[in-house]
Amino acid sequence: MAKIQSSIYGVFFAFSVILNLYCFINLHYVGGGVGGKGKQLSWTQKAAEEAEAVAAVSCSGHGRAYLDGFSVDGKPICECNTCFGGPDCSQFSPACVADADSGDPLFLEPFWMEHAASSALVVVGWHRMSYTFNDHSFISRNLENHIRKVHSIAKNAITDGRYILFGGGSTQLLSAAVYALSPENSSSPARVVASIPYFPLYETQTDYFNSVNFKFEGDASSWMNTTSSDSSINVIEFVTSPNNPDGLLKKPTIQGSTVKAIYDHAYYWPHFTPIPAPADGDLMIFTISKLTGHAGSRFGWAMVKHEGVYQRMMTYMSLSEMGVSRDTQLRALKLLKAVVQEGNGKEIFDFAYKTMRNRWEKLRQVISMSKRFSIEESPPQFCIFSQKVRGSTPAYAWVKCERKEDKDCTAVLRAANIIGREGSRFAAGDRHVRLSLLKSQDDFDQLIHRLSNLISEEDGTSKLCEEDHNNQHFVDYDKYYCCI
Amino acid sequence: MAKIQSSIYGVFFAFSVILNLYCFINLHYVGGGVGGKGKQLSWTQKAAEEAEAVAAVSCSGHGRAYLDGFSVDGKPICECNTCFGGPDCSQFSPACVADADSGDPLFLEPFWMEHAASSALVVVGWHRMSYTFNDHSFISRNLENHIRKVHSIAKNAITDGRYILFGGGSTQLLSAAVYALSPENSSSPARVVASIPYFPLYETQTDYFNSVNFKFEGDASSWMNTTSSDSSINVIEFVTSPNNPDGLLKKPTIQGSTVKAIYDHAYYWPHFTPIPAPADGDLMIFTISKLTGHAGSRFGWAMVKHEGVYQRMMTYMSLSEMGVSRDTQLRALKLLKAVVQEGNGKEIFDFAYKTMRNRWEKLRQVISMSKRFSIEESPPQFCIFSQKVRGSTPAYAWVKCERKEDKDCTAVLRAANIIGREGSRFAAGDRHVRLSLLKSQDDFDQLIHRLSNLISEEDGTSKLCEEDHNNQHFVDYDKYYCCI
């Protein structure tokens, strides 16, 4: 009897020892990262828990909660994508308009959700309180190094022997560049030009600052043709390549010893265009917005060949804002570190290109059924990044209304519940309209849906998808799109 | 025998069960925060560990390591305070110059080190990728609410019925305000003035942007006296209160229907001045730099009474940068949440005031021994924040050289190894010099040490502290200061 009792004790004891071992491993396993149990944390624990709790809020894949959003009963609320509503963003609004207006690069959001661990950042309360870094500059040299690395991976720019400075998105750097390239104390202001269709900010920004040093003159070719070739006039030309809105690779229109170019390379990444050669302009501007998709981070950089121009741009940055926020620089560093780390730096480009290619395939398929609309396309080229001939997959579709009576193409699309940006905003005619293909998958899906409906009406046949849900305010999203 | 064996098994088993219980409590105790064991983390673990590891690098209290700094052999390197060096910043350089030039508000760094948990921030990879918040603005409403709360605690400004907008530090907002208050398409530019001594940026910034819309005219009183009272001329006056450099509370110099004031209230916090009444100007500018000490974060806000002016300032922010980085706004929110939370919002003001008061006591003690130098002082006033009569503790000492021959006060101090900012930079004479009292404790200690030495030489007696360490490159810091 005692022997049996002893054996039972033995079994319990063995079980207990195994449990102890399990507990010990769990308590002291130092692995870190997703799934594993990391080191015991101290002062970061609460903030990390809070971030994970907010990220775990379910928004049905059609929205997300943010740490700086509002809460209801202590629970962070979902901020829903366009056309979705309800507490968890699950309710689709079928009467919703397809908004293809802004260049919000949310198509890259899923990439970062998939790489939560490598892109999460912890900022300490005393991070970089000083006005300057320890080399007395406004610029993180570590971040500068990572920018050079990313260009080297993308093969889209020559960085050797260039000065790099940072700005609040390309927006701020465009203005800094105009100031830096304009003559001071000249009797004649520099003439700022761009070739039509051009990005509207060039004009509005230059006009707004209304400096004695420069003046916006509109289309480069027209200005050249109407002006006597006075070689003493300083000219600054915005060269946007790939171009916003039409996605074409551009070169300067005007040449000469008093002509300077600002290369706006916001879209010169393998996502949007084949890279025929690394860019090599004297003054090139890039932005994180269209590289990683962080438009809200207001971070861009300029690569400048001549020290004098670089110093003048630095003066602009110093006087307008005392450099870019150190918090933003830290965030950009973390994101670029993640870019460099994932798939040897190629993963983000592969992800972004595939997404854009899929979107263009769908768009081309829809447009191919239309005689009413056409899209600007550029021929395939050899891409030194992907090492093959590739078609272009621009951030925007530059759509033209081909029917004689469709003089206002934006209005034609607006009548079909599609919001685009009118051609006149780009100094082109209103027969053109720009449609953004960069936004969330929901926005893109809604755009294709509305376009399909519109195009299916061209030959007078019934719509591809009957809108029989009009009386319902919200319906299930997947069912709604079953007909596309 | 079996009975004894059974008893031993029993004891081991009981011990094992207790051990299991301990493990279970340890594994599942959900406490969080410093000292306690928090919830098991997932994707934030690695970033949190990294931040704690960097923060734990010992820099002897004379420096700190940063997440975006460089590493040697995988270990983040210390960035040392002025006058300190070596791998752990423990080596003091006795020949070092006292740098009291910049307004780097590092005197608040210890506050944030003491409040690591409440100010730590975790940023997810997909945080606010859009250009706008979900209300289509560039402004976090949550942050706006916290700004109003902090003003309500400090009692330093009326926020009711005011529009709030954000900028890249007060620097960017000062420029936005000048643009917003200047007439467009006027034949005569607005005249921008300030009263001497004034903050140099007003002049350099206004001159740099060189707009057709405005023109810097220098000293307000002089301009008023030399100009015929043409009431059609638009005037913009910078009113800096407390003033930079002299710390005095200021009011507008010029009155009239075409005169508009920009109130620069960067220093209107209980740290630096008694608060006689909440500020109530039409256009007031504040910055986080001098409130929490985060000069590197480039975050400020304007409070504007009239909607039209607010909208015009928003246009400036939109065209110059598309609003302030969402990362910076998130960081500012976290810091202000910590401010509001700690000691009912009063702790930071108490900490900052005590630090400034101690520094002023030391400075006054040293200066009181001098006939050569004097300091601008303002009389004590009743402070509605502290509910008592208090002296002023400005960010800077506005020092005057009283000896006839000391025409260049900056040079006098420079010869004694003290770097100040020359009076001429503030459009005042060079008999004045500004000394910063905001910097790190090391900087302040070095300033007092150098000043004491200089003043002790006034009556021809020996120095207070013989510099007998000159042949040593580095000596122990505490020993070095034993003579102060």
Side-chain angles (χ1 to χ4, degrees), chain A residues 22-338:
Chain A
Y22 167 79
C23 279
F24 182 83
I25 290 167
N26 259 283
L27 265 172
H28 299 279
Y29 172 66
V30 184
V34 182
K37 241 185 99 59
K39 278 180 188 161
Q40 188 174 331
L41 296 170
S42 162
W43 50 270
T44 58
Q45 177 76 28
K46 201 168 146 246
E49 281 177 20
E50 198 184 1
E52 291 203 3
V54 172
V57 172
S58 168
C59 302
S60 310
H62 302 298
R64 78 295 291 157
Y66 292 117
L67 202 55
D68 58 358
F70 286 103
S71 301
V72 172
D73 299 331
K75 198 190 163 198
I77 59 168
C78 285
E79 300 185 13
C80 304
N81 292 344
T82 325
C83 301
F84 288 84
D88 64 350
C89 304
S90 63
Q91 295 173 324
F92 176 66
S93 170
C96 179
V97 166
D99 186 347
D101 188 7
S102 86
D104 246 357
L106 289 177
F107 77 111
L108 280 159
E109 197 182 54
F111 178 85
W112 296 106
M113 288 181 164
E114 283 165 23
H115 295 88
S118 62
S119 58
L121 168 71
V122 175
V123 192
V124 300
W126 59 93
H127 177 73
R128 298 274 177 212
M129 294 176 69
S130 174
Y131 281 105
T132 58
F133 287 84
N134 62 335
D135 63 354
H136 307 294
S137 81
F138 292 142
I139 295 210
S140 157
R141 299 298 163 201
N142 208 343
L143 176 53
E144 184 188 332
N145 291 349
H146 277 79
I147 287 171
R148 291 182 194 273
K149 273 185 200 166
V150 171
H151 280 300
S152 144
I153 293 163
K155 298 182 180 171
N156 67 336
I158 289 172
T159 61
D160 287 349
R162 309 287 168 133
Y163 298 93
I164 291 186
L165 83 155
F166 304 159
S170 56
T171 310
Q172 195 173 39
L173 290 164
L174 294 167
S175 179
V178 172
Y179 270 94
L181 296 180
S182 296
E184 284 175 297
N185 308 320
S186 165
S187 58
S188 171
R191 306 307 202 278
V192 182
V193 297
S195 59
I196 289 174
Y198 56 74
F199 183 43
L201 183 80
Y202 304 146
E203 183 166 2
T204 47
Q205 190 179 63
T206 311
D207 283 350
Y208 181 84
F209 282 109
N210 202 12
S211 170
V212 175
N213 307 6
F214 50 77
K215 194 170 182 294
F216 193 77
E217 292 278 0
D219 186 47
S221 309
S222 312
W223 184 80
M224 202 167 54
N225 292 337
T226 56
T227 308
S228 60
S229 55
D230 182 350
S231 62
S232 70
I233 296 178
N234 288 284
V235 179
I236 299 168
E237 181 176 354
F238 282 110
V239 182
T240 321
S241 187
N243 195 33
N244 176 358
D246 60 18
L248 303 182
L249 293 174
K250 300 267 287 259
K251 294 197 167 162
T253 305
I254 308 179
Q255 305 286 341
S257 61
T258 55
V259 182
K260 285 155 189 159
I262 298 169
Y263 288 88
D264 180 346
H265 284 318
Y267 300 92
Y268 200 57
W269 296 103
H271 325 338
F272 306 120
T273 179
I275 305 290
D280 192 22
D282 282 4
L283 199 171
M284 303 184 284
I285 292 172
F286 293 87
T287 167
I288 206 168
S289 168
K290 303 301 184 290
L291 163 60
T292 68
H294 293 81
S297 290
R298 313 311 310 127
F299 182 76
W301 59 97
M303 293 205 297
V304 186
K305 200 181 260 173
H306 301 294
E307 190 182 356
V309 176
Y310 161 75
Q311 292 294 357
R312 292 187 70 180
M313 288 184 76
M314 287 294 280
T315 301
Y316 180 99
M317 280 308 303
S318 172
L319 289 176
S320 65
E321 202 182 349
M322 307 273 281
V324 171
S325 172
R326 280 22 118 199
D327 310 324
T328 299
Q329 294 191 39
L330 178 64
R331 178 103 198 282
L333 174 66
K334 185 76 191 190
L335 294 168
L336 295 194
K337 272 185 177 176

Side-chain angles (χ1 to χ4, degrees), chain B residues 426-480:
Chain B
F426 303 90
D430 273 337
R431 199 166 278 284
H432 276 95
V433 61
R434 189 192 83 170
L435 296 180
S436 174
L437 305 181
L438 293 174
K439 298 179 75 182
S440 70
Q441 193 61 39
D442 286 337
D443 277 317
F444 178 75
D445 289 342
Q446 182 73 352
L447 171 67
I448 291 294
H449 167 67
R450 292 280 175 210
L451 263 183
S452 302
N453 274 3
L454 176 63
I455 288 169
S456 71
E457 288 171 339
E458 276 184 33
D459 55 3
T461 60
S462 63
K463 292 181 187 182
L464 281 178
C465 179
E466 282 300 330
E467 293 192 34
D468 53 357
H469 303 284
N470 280 349
N471 293 326
Q472 288 175 253
H473 187 60
F474 290 119
V475 296
D476 177 71
Y477 179 75
D478 293 327
K479 280 187 199 155
Y480 190 69

